[in-house]
Amino acid sequence: MEDLIITGPGIQDEEYIVNMGPQHPSTHGVLRLKIALKGETVERIEPHCGYIHRGIEKMCERLTYQQMIHLTDRMDYLSAHINNEAVCLLVENALQIEVPERVKYIRTILDELTRLASHELWWCAFGMDLGALTTYFYGLRDREPILDIFEETTGARLLQSFNVPGGLMNDIHPNFQKRVKEYITYFRKKLPEYDELLTGNVILQERTRDVGNLSLEDAISWGVTGPSGRASGFACDVRKHHPYSAYDKVDFNEILYTKGDSFHRYDARVREMWESLKILEQLIDNIPEGDYAVKMKPIIRLPEGEYYQRVEACRGEFGVYILSTGDKWPYRAKFRSPNFSNLSAINKMAAGFKIADLVAIGGSLDLVIPDIDR
């Protein structure tokens, strides 16, 4: 029996518009991608945001500087401690307050534990997106001890709000150093499993290499930072180029590639986990003695003017802009969230690839949607 072939005028040129999302099992991170397809090939993508917009920047105009810290960890909740630190650094620099060396070391250690926990969650979810369900159990297994350390010292596992202007809410728990050193030893043995299980997997290699390429020029033009930008050769690590806290006291590598495809965005994060361990090893035994905070006035007023502070969050450069009129709250607050800029380049990455490739491309960006919908 001959195969039935259906043809028609212009059928090959017909364009279909489909939606990917909006959906999320717990609705705390909802993104809709409006995708124009020809067959299975992506012609263009329009991201539609705003499903969980909360007006955080407007709310900050009637919150004190101590209060607005708590809103920043509701944006990229996997970079909560780092986002909190950005506001504290801005206030401290604006008031020309020098925090104790002990505070700088502890903040940096918590930063890198936060980065490890975030990258582990991204790794396990990225593998699951591509069908490797086992990764989800491995990643969550290795992330749990970090959350236990956070809980013991800060009282919270995810949204710590441990940073305050002038230092820290409390001193570290007596077990803190011991448990961090135990974790470094533990994870140094577990991290090679990530390469053994997923990095070298032929399916992951086929689905990510030369998929979703982003050139250095486009990464800079679109403001793609973090591991996603560095995978394209964009040397943008704030810890290296504008060091803060104790980052000027440690030696680590900025992971840079030139290919800019989904695989190298993946690999940059895996390599960064090794660098985070290296930073922790250099700091954990050298935490200085001293106070965990300097005494601050209960009501903080920044001098009139404009202020900006950047930090290296888990997904790229997180910036805080404040316009102060000398009042106890900012006249204007604006956050530069890495996820918003990284998402904006998705059409550049995905156009011309198959819709199945879009799963790998989106996963390689490690998006946290509440950081986009502020």
Side-chain angles (χ1 to χ4, degrees), residues 193-243:
E193 293 179 358
Y194 289 29
D195 287 333
E196 186 178 344
L197 181 67
L198 193 58
T199 308
N201 186 285
V202 65
I203 299 174
L204 177 120
Q205 296 267 337
E206 290 292 329
R207 291 199 62 181
T208 56
R209 284 194 180 274
D210 295 315
V211 171
N213 299 67
L214 186 72
S215 68
L216 170 61
E217 293 75 16
D218 287 331
I220 294 172
S221 296
W222 289 97
V224 178
T225 56
S228 298
R230 292 190 282 276
S232 298
F234 183 14
C236 56
D237 195 326
V238 180
R239 299 172 296 172
K240 273 285 188 186
H241 304 287
H242 305 279

Side-chain angles (χ1 to χ4, degrees), residues 126-147:
F126 184 62
M128 189 172 65
D129 288 344
L130 300 182
L133 301 184
T134 309
T135 62
Y136 201 68
F137 300 102
Y138 278 58
L140 291 184
R141 172 201 68 186
D142 297 335
R143 181 172 176 259
E144 197 67 15
I146 296 179
L147 302 187

Side-chain angles (χ1 to χ4, degrees), residues 280-291:
L280 291 172
E281 285 177 325
Q282 294 174 66
L283 296 177
I284 193 61
D285 281 325
N286 297 304
I287 300 176
E289 297 295 328
D291 294 329

Side-chain angles (χ1 to χ4, degrees), residues 98-116:
E98 185 70 24
V99 299
E101 287 295 302
R102 182 176 182 82
V103 172
K104 295 179 181 179
Y105 275 67
I106 294 171
R107 281 179 174 176
T108 306
I109 291 168
L110 291 172
D111 283 348
E112 293 309 309
L113 287 173
T114 299
R115 199 177 318 279
L116 279 172

Side-chain angles (χ1 to χ4, degrees), residues 68-312:
M68 67 179 285
I69 291 171
H70 299 276
L71 293 183
T72 60
D73 55 31
R74 270 73 177 175
M75 293 164 56
D76 181 354
Y77 46 84
L78 298 176
S79 293
H81 173 82
I82 305 173
N83 290 359
N84 294 162
E85 185 177 4
V87 179
C88 294
L89 288 170
L90 184 145
V91 171
E92 291 155 7
N93 291 336
L95 297 176
Q96 297 183 340
I97 292 172
E98 185 70 24
V99 299
E101 287 295 302
R102 182 176 182 82
V103 172
K104 295 179 181 179
Y105 275 67
I106 294 171
R107 281 179 174 176
T108 306
I109 291 168
L110 291 172
D111 283 348
E112 293 309 309
L113 287 173
T114 299
R115 199 177 318 279
L116 279 172
S118 174
H119 284 0
E120 286 163 359
L121 183 58
W122 158 81
W123 179 84
C124 71
F126 184 62
M128 189 172 65
D129 288 344
L130 300 182
L133 301 184
T134 309
T135 62
Y136 201 68
F137 300 102
Y138 278 58
L140 291 184
R141 172 201 68 186
D142 297 335
R143 181 172 176 259
E144 197 67 15
I146 296 179
L147 302 187
D148 291 338
I149 293 171
F150 285 157
E151 184 177 20
E152 189 174 62
T153 282
T154 72
R157 295 170 67 80
L158 188 67
L159 309 178
Q160 297 93 11
S161 294
F162 193 58
N163 283 310
V164 295
L168 305 168
M169 187 75 72
N170 295 293
D171 207 348
I172 53 176
H173 192 278
N175 291 338
F176 181 78
Q177 287 173 280
K178 174 177 174 288
R179 294 190 70 172
V180 171
K181 287 193 285 187
E182 287 174 351
Y183 185 76
I184 293 170
T185 303
Y186 164 83
F187 195 52
R188 275 203 171 275
K189 296 176 181 177
K190 296 298 183 183
L191 190 47
E193 293 179 358
Y194 289 29
D195 287 333
E196 186 178 344
L197 181 67
L198 193 58
T199 308
N201 186 285
V202 65
I203 299 174
L204 177 120
Q205 296 267 337
E206 290 292 329
R207 291 199 62 181
T208 56
R209 284 194 180 274
D210 295 315
V211 171
N213 299 67
L214 186 72
S215 68
L216 170 61
E217 293 75 16
D218 287 331
I220 294 172
S221 296
W222 289 97
V224 178
T225 56
S228 298
R230 292 190 282 276
S232 298
F234 183 14
C236 56
D237 195 326
V238 180
R239 299 172 296 172
K240 273 285 188 186
H241 304 287
H242 305 279
Y244 55 93
S245 294
Y247 283 111
D248 59 344
K249 298 177 175 63
V250 293
D251 177 49
F252 67 99
N253 298 315
E254 182 176 14
I255 305 299
L256 290 172
Y257 293 114
T258 57
K259 191 76 172 178
D261 59 2
S262 295
F263 176 78
H264 287 88
R265 286 190 289 274
Y266 162 88
D267 202 48
R269 288 184 177 85
V270 175
R271 302 308 136 214
E272 275 196 3
M273 287 193 266
W274 287 107
E275 299 306 312
S276 292
L277 289 174
K278 187 189 299 184
I279 293 170
L280 291 172
E281 285 177 325
Q282 294 174 66
L283 296 177
I284 193 61
D285 281 325
N286 297 304
I287 300 176
E289 297 295 328
D291 294 329
Y292 62 84
V294 296
K295 189 172 180 60
M296 299 285 291
K297 293 181 179 179
I299 296 178
I300 296 173
R301 300 177 187 271
L302 299 192
E304 287 189 33
E306 296 178 84
Y307 305 95
Y308 184 77
Q309 177 65 48
R310 66 183 76 183
V311 294
E312 183 65 28

